[in-house]
């Protein structure tokens, strides 16, 4: 008998009470990092978001880290010493986004301009051409690898495009 | 193996939508473009190396302070299974909640209700060999929020659940039976399917209730994922 999957509910504004114990320490420059700002449909920074970042550690296991935005809506996660090796394996980081105002999490990905997937890639090929740029981080001039990737929950009047978000399931 | 597991697209009425106008924060925060359908890859199916060790398990939230917290002590327990009903072992469950007065121990909670110095409001456990978990805590109070004039959240516990892979990840809320605020709560009511909604309401359970100690509530959790048999129809 099939059991129905439990319904999701928003993480709410006070998640740090329950989740902070397992937040990754923020990266300290000159540590390699990915950073950016999350903005809502008004372009206002989202100060209460949790990001869960999943990268392939080997073909069967996923490295997991969790980070939160600060009062400026800014997040950052450390890329680690082995980030280049990991990238050869995955080509991207997968991000689950939780925040007040989201009744269920959003799934997205971030790619590096130097490691864009081939045209036939199972995921990349499904992203409309016009939206791919929203998933490509920009290099920050720095002694160590550092990248900027902003997340826009909706497109805004100043011309920022809504970030591409996914719905992942086995069957179409 | 996750590679043989099937993850179905969520039925639209048993999970909340992204945009739900009665929950006003969704208006500027929910994406407006349709989600892009993608198949699972190794990233979505791989087992997470979750750093469980970074925070010790804490199943009794009433023992975290120097003295017992104020409020009605309760037991919240249940099983975590997949869609086939198979118990899921070693699942990390994180819990957070308001105190008995309806106040979170959080800088941004400005509700004018007292903070309980003996209540942090956070716990974490890992499911046992039967997929079971058990928390001891206190019943949280209802609290006001600014969604609409005179808006109040029903008493609830926040749950975060880690299954075998990214596709089983679940963040939800558990509610209490008979709460008159439920029908007025846009977060609860965002789930269109009544049965799906009611599954977030934990029934009072005599087998979990401990005499002279506390009432027990049963909250079973089902994570996405089922075994695939060739030729089976979804
Ligand atoms: Fe809450």
């Amino acid at each position: 008998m099939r059991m129905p999957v439990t319904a999701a509910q928003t993480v709410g504004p006070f998640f740090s009470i329950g989740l902070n114990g397992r937040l990754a320490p923020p990266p300290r420059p000159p540590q390699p990092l990915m950073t950016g700002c999350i903005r809502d449909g008004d372009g206002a920074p989202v100060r209460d978001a949790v990001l869960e970042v999943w990268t392939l550690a080997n073909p069967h296991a996923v490295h997991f880290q969790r980070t939160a935005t600060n009062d400026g809506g800014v997040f950052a996660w450390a890329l680690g010493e082995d980030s280049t090796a990991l990238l050869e394996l995955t080509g991207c980081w997968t991000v689950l986004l939780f925040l007040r105002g989201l009744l269920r999490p959003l799934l997205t990905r971030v790619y590096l301009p130097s490691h864009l997937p081939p045209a036939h890639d199972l995921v990349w090929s499904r992203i409309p051409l016009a939206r791919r740029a929203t998933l490509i981080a920009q290099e920050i001039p720095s002694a160590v690898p550092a990248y900027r990737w902003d997340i826009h929950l909706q497109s805004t009047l100043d011309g920022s495009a809504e970030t591409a978000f996914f719905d992942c399931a086995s069957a179409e | 193996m996750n590679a043989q597991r099937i993850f179905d697209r969520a039925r639209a009425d048993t999970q909340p939508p992204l945009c739900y106008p009665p929950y006003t924060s969704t208006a500027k925060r929910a994406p407006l473009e349709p989600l892009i359908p993608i198949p699972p890859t190794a990233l979505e199916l791989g087992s997470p190396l979750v750093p469980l060790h970074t925070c010790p398990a804490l199943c009794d939230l009433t023992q975290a302070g120097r003295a017992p917290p104020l409020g009605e002590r309760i037991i919240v327990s249940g099983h975590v299974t997949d869609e086939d009903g198979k118990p899921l072992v070693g699942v990390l469950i994180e819990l957070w909640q308001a105190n008995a007065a309806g106040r979170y121990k959080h800088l941004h909670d400005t509700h004018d209700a007292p903070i309980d110095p003996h209540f942090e409001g956070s716990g974490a456990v890992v499911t046992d060999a039967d997929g079971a978990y058990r928390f001891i805590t206190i019943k949280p109070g209802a609290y006001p929020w600014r969604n609409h004039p005179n808006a109040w959240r029903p008493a609830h516990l926040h749950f975060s659940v880690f299954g075998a892979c990214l596709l089983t990840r679940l963040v939800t809320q558990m509610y209490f039976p008979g709460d008159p605020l439920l029908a007025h709560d846009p977060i609860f009511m965002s789930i269109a399917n009544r049965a799906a909604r009611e599954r977030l309401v934990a029934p009072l359970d005599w087998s979990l209730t401990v005499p002279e100690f506390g009432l027990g509530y049963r909250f079973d959790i089902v994570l996405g994922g089922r075994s695939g048999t060739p030729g089976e129809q979804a």
Side-chain angles (χ1 to χ4, degrees), chain A residues 12-14, chain B residues 96 98 104 143 153 156 158 173:
Chain A
F14 306 128
Chain B
W96 67 101
Y104 285 92
Y143 60 82
R153 293 292 334 271
H156 59 275
H158 292 268
Q173 299 181 27

Side-chain angles (χ1 to χ4, degrees), chain A:
Chain A
M1 197 192 104
R2 286 278 290 284
M3 315 258 294
V5 178
T6 302
Q9 295 273 266
T10 181
V11 76
F14 306 128
F15 57 81
S16 63
I17 297 172
L19 306 182
N20 258 7
R22 277 161 293 272
L23 281 183
R28 292 159 169 238
Q31 201 175 2
L33 61 83
M34 177 74 69
T35 186
C37 183
I38 304 182
R39 293 183 186 277
D40 69 11
D42 288 329
V46 173
R47 336 178 285 163
D48 49 10
V50 196
L51 296 91
E52 291 185 347
V53 184
W54 310 61
T55 349
L56 223 50
N58 65 54
H60 303 290
V62 180
H63 177 70
F64 166 90
Q65 55 181 325
R66 178 188 276 162
T67 184
T69 53
N70 65 16
D71 283 348
V74 173
F75 63 86
W77 73 78
L79 299 185
E81 303 297 321
D82 51 355
S83 57
T84 312
L86 286 177
L87 263 182
E88 300 300 333
L89 215 59
T90 58
C92 69
W93 292 265
T94 287
V95 176
L96 263 187
L97 192 60
F98 300 86
L99 46 105
R100 173 179 65 82
L102 280 183
L103 286 158
R104 49 195 170 91
L106 288 176
L107 178 66
T108 184
R109 288 180 168 208
V110 55
Y111 296 85
L112 293 189
S114 55
H115 287 73
L116 291 184
H120 62 265
D121 180 82
L122 273 180
V123 172
W124 191 247
S125 61
R126 303 197 187 209
I127 309 169
L129 282 173
R131 304 194 66 196
R132 291 182 183 174
T134 66
L135 304 186
I136 304 173
Q138 299 304 314
E139 204 161 340
I140 301 172
S142 158
V144 296
Y147 302 92
R148 181 172 181 97
W149 173 53
D150 292 327
I151 298 175
H152 296 275
L153 299 171
Q154 299 176 350
S155 57
T156 52
L157 289 175
D158 66 8
S160 298
E162 182 178 306
T163 300
F165 298 106
F166 300 114
D167 180 14
C168 184
S170 298
E172 286 306 301

